Amino acid sequence: MSQFAAYNNSDLDSSSSSSPPPPPPPPPPPPPPPLHSSGDPSQIEEYEVPSGEIAANHEAQKAPDGFKLKFCTVCASNQNRSMEAHLRLSAANYPVISFGTGSLVRLPGPSITQPNVYGFDSVSYDAMYRDLDSKDQRLYRANGVLNMLGRNRSVKKGPERWQDWKIGVPRLEHESDQGSVGVEGGLVDVVITCEERCWDAVVDDLLNRGSPLNHPVHVINVDIKDNHEEALVGGRAILDLADTLNKAAIEERAIAGSDVWENGNSSARSGFDDRVPDLLAEWQARWPHLPASWTIAWF
């Protein structure tokens, strides 16, 4: 007897009299594509904290006397990630400077083994732009390097090396840089690096300097992949972090008194210093795809 003969009419009758099975649940929504899956920056917007939320936070943390924390942004070549963050912070009226930690400035070339190499503190962004434009305008326009250099030369003159920064020495020759107002004295409150090896280089350098000024500084790393799309996301995330830190600094400065705060010693800013890890954790929850780390160091 074949297997089909096992099903008789009574089986069919009993099955037809039973209640129909419930409909299947709807399928889950498809997962979002990876953050870096597209070269189109418009695809990144949905993974950023909404601009309205950042704008509201930025408005909420303004002090009556215009107080702003002073920032420094750092990446390897002071070209992409640190400069996008520098531009974002300066546009929000934060005092800001930026540096690179590499031995030389390296930009993409015709192949991975043929980068374009320049010196820190010696070649301007405009000179790099004109050099690459004359070499192969189509290539360097297509890979975004000319657009990046065009942005950079509107922010400051050229890339600077962290290890050559004379901390505490007036930066009067940088008065035309965006964000220069407030950091003329050569000191900052927060250093934000964009890669773990840059964070290591900054912390090691500060230890080697021996803290001659006895001035506390928070060193925070926000790990950002070195491409144009993620630099845009990272720049917005760093602005959100700056707003978060600045709001807390305003509150603690009001408690300690502005004169005491400006002395810059550890006791005057201890309330703010103690809050930074928790503030960073709150920020990390909003930006989970940008791993962060923190330490406090001394100038």
Side-chain angles (χ1 to χ4, degrees):
M1 179 183 294
S2 69
Q3 60 177 338
F4 297 103
Y7 295 93
N8 55 31
N9 290 336
S10 61
D11 294 326
L12 294 175
D13 292 339
S14 62
S15 63
S16 62
S17 63
S18 61
S19 59
L35 182 65
H36 54 281
S37 64
S38 171
D40 182 0
S42 65
Q43 299 299 315
I44 300 173
E45 291 296 323
E46 62 180 297
Y47 301 105
E48 301 178 22
V49 172
S51 57
E53 180 178 334
I54 292 179
N57 191 23
H58 183 63
E59 287 298 318
Q61 52 78 48
K62 286 183 179 178
D65 60 358
F67 171 77
K68 295 276 192 175
L69 287 173
K70 303 175 181 67
F71 291 91
C72 171
T73 61
V74 182
C75 67
S77 290
N78 197 199
Q79 288 282 355
N80 184 29
R81 296 162 293 179
S82 64
M83 287 301 289
E84 177 63 30
H86 185 143
L87 178 62
R88 291 271 189 172
L89 292 172
S90 63
N93 297 317
Y94 282 106
V96 57
I97 54 180
S98 59
F99 296 95
T101 57
S103 57
L104 293 166
V105 175
R106 291 176 170 83
L107 295 175
S111 71
I112 195 170
T113 59
Q114 296 175 291
N116 293 284
V117 180
Y118 304 95
F120 280 102
D121 303 294
S122 59
V123 184
S124 69
Y125 293 121
D126 185 63
M128 295 177 193
Y129 183 100
R130 289 184 284 105
D131 179 44
L132 298 183
D133 186 60
S134 66
K135 286 180 177 178
D136 192 334
Q137 183 186 73
R138 186 174 65 85
L139 170 64
Y140 296 114
R141 181 72 65 187
N143 65 11
V145 171
L146 286 181
N147 291 339
M148 178 184 71
L149 290 171
R151 174 202 64 195
N152 293 352
R153 65 182 179 176
S154 72
V155 176
K156 67 176 190 175
K157 182 178 180 180
E160 302 173 73
R161 189 167 184 259
W162 167 275
Q163 292 86 340
D164 299 329
W165 177 26
K166 295 177 174 61
I167 297 173
V169 175
R171 293 170 51 86
L172 301 180
E173 71 277 13
H174 293 276
E175 61 182 357
S176 62
D177 294 356
Q178 290 193 35
S180 64
V181 176
V183 286
E184 303 93 333
L187 285 174
V188 298
D189 303 301
V190 181
V191 175
I192 301 177
T193 62
C194 301
E195 186 176 343
E196 188 174 357
R197 63 172 175 160
C198 300
W199 188 72
D200 291 338
V202 166
V203 173
D204 289 346
D205 180 70
L206 290 174
L207 289 173
N208 292 334
R209 292 182 189 236
S211 311
L213 303 179
N214 197 34
H215 183 92
V217 59
H218 293 272
V219 186
I220 299 171
N221 183 63
V222 177
D223 218 32
I224 305 169
K225 290 183 174 64
D226 193 7
N227 61 58
H228 301 305
E229 292 81 13
E230 298 211 28
L232 290 170
V233 176
R236 178 166 287 195
I238 287 173
L239 175 57
D240 182 33
L241 177 59
D243 285 344
T244 300
L245 295 173
N246 198 62
K247 182 176 183 293
I250 290 171
E251 294 167 355
E252 296 299 328
R253 184 171 175 264
I255 295 171
S258 59
D259 293 338
V260 176
W261 175 279
E262 294 304 330
N263 289 334
N265 58 56
S266 58
S267 61
R269 301 192 178 196
S270 60
F272 172 70
D273 295 342
D274 292 343
R275 292 178 63 181
V276 169
D278 291 335
L279 295 170
L280 186 59
E282 294 171 6
W283 173 91
Q284 184 73 89
R286 297 195 297 272
W287 301 89
H289 61 281
L290 296 175
S293 50
W294 161 86
T295 191
I296 190 166
W298 303 84
F299 284 140

